[in-house]
Amino acid sequence: MALLPILRYPDPRLHTQAKPVEAVDAGVRRLVADMAETMYAAPGIGLAATQVNVHRRVLVLDVSEDKTRLMAFINPEIVWRAGECVGEEGCLSVPGIYETVQRSERVKVRALNPAGEPFEIEADGLLAVCLQHEIDHLDGKVFVEYLSRLKLARIKARLAKQARITA
Ligand code: GNR
Ligand code: NI
C-alpha cells in the first residue's frame, strides 16, 4: 500500500470531472487500498480519487467511531434524495477551514463494490453528508464553493497566508 499526496484547494486539478471506471480490476482495487490508507493516515472520514489527482469515479469513507467500517464506492450515483439538513464540514483539501453547508438529509446511492458488484445504500446523518461531499469532489466541486463570494474570498486569503507560513 502507499500514502498518496492530497491536492490542496485552490489547486485547479480539484475542478476536474472524474470519468467512470470502465472495469473494476486489480488497478482499481489497489487505488481503493491506497486511498483507504491515505484517508486513515490523514485522518479523515472520506476521500475522493480527485483529491489524490486520479480522475476516476472512486471514493472511500469510514464514518464509524472505531474506524473499522471501510466502505468503497465505484461509479457512485445518487438515485434518490430527501429532506434538507445543515452541518459543519471540513475537507482534507481545505485544511483548517470548517463551514456550514446545506445538504440533502437522506440519499440513496447506487455504486459498484471492489468486486465489481452493484449495491445500493440508503444513508442519513454523517454518512449521507459525507457521500454528497465525496461525490461533489468527483464532479470537481469543493464544499467551500457553496459559500458566499465574500466568505470564499476570506477563505482564499487565509489559505494563501497559511501557505506562505508553511512554505
Ligand atoms: O474528514 C472529513 N470530514 C468531514 C466532515 C464533515 C463533512 C465532510 C467531511 S469529509 C472530510 C474528508 C474529505 O475531505 N473528503 O473529501
Ligand atoms: Ni473533501
Side-chain angles (χ1 to χ4, degrees), residues 75-127:
N75 297 344
E77 277 180 77
I78 297 176
V79 294
W80 174 88
R81 50 172 89 229
E84 278 176 6
C85 64
V86 288
E88 190 154 276
E89 298 191 16
C91 181
L92 295 172
S93 295
V94 198
I97 305 289
Y98 301 90
E99 293 286 348
T100 301
V101 177
Q102 188 177 324
R103 298 283 188 187
S104 299
E105 188 176 28
R106 296 197 294 146
V107 292
K108 190 190 276 185
V109 173
R110 188 175 295 155
L112 301 176
N113 67 19
E117 300 156 348
F119 69 99
E120 253 182 29
I121 188 170
E122 199 174 311
D124 61 12
L126 187 57
L127 179 58

Side-chain angles (χ1 to χ4, degrees), residues 112-152:
L112 301 176
N113 67 19
E117 300 156 348
F119 69 99
E120 253 182 29
I121 188 170
E122 199 174 311
D124 61 12
L126 187 57
L127 179 58
V129 168
C130 194
L131 277 165
Q132 291 169 80
H133 177 116
E134 304 312 339
I135 292 170
D136 269 357
H137 275 303
L138 300 180
D139 291 324
K141 183 136 186 155
V142 181
F143 85 104
V144 291
E145 291 161 347
Y146 287 111
L147 305 174
S148 69
R149 283 173 57 180
L150 176 62
K151 266 196 172 169
L152 184 55

Side-chain angles (χ1 to χ4, degrees), residues 1-138:
M1 298 219 291
L3 281 180
L4 308 170
I6 297 175
L7 300 178
R8 297 283 186 96
Y9 187 81
D11 191 311
R13 292 171 292 181
L14 286 169
H15 299 126
T16 313
Q17 174 79 25
K19 293 192 172 77
V21 168
E22 278 168 14
V24 183
D25 56 16
V28 172
R29 285 184 283 275
R30 157 93 51 100
L31 174 64
V32 165
D34 289 347
M35 285 173 59
E37 189 183 5
T38 303
M39 172 185 75
Y40 286 124
I45 60 170
L47 189 70
T50 308
Q51 293 176 279
V52 294
N53 200 30
V54 175
H55 302 289
R56 292 287 161 187
R57 303 189 75 82
V58 176
L59 67 87
V60 295
L61 53 86
D62 187 342
V63 297
S64 69
E65 290 278 314
D66 57 359
K67 298 292 158 218
T68 57
R69 295 265 195 289
L70 176 66
M71 301 167 87
F73 294 74
I74 298 156
N75 297 344
E77 277 180 77
I78 297 176
V79 294
W80 174 88
R81 50 172 89 229
E84 278 176 6
C85 64
V86 288
E88 190 154 276
E89 298 191 16
C91 181
L92 295 172
S93 295
V94 198
I97 305 289
Y98 301 90
E99 293 286 348
T100 301
V101 177
Q102 188 177 324
R103 298 283 188 187
S104 299
E105 188 176 28
R106 296 197 294 146
V107 292
K108 190 190 276 185
V109 173
R110 188 175 295 155
L112 301 176
N113 67 19
E117 300 156 348
F119 69 99
E120 253 182 29
I121 188 170
E122 199 174 311
D124 61 12
L126 187 57
L127 179 58
V129 168
C130 194
L131 277 165
Q132 291 169 80
H133 177 116
E134 304 312 339
I135 292 170
D136 269 357
H137 275 303
L138 300 180

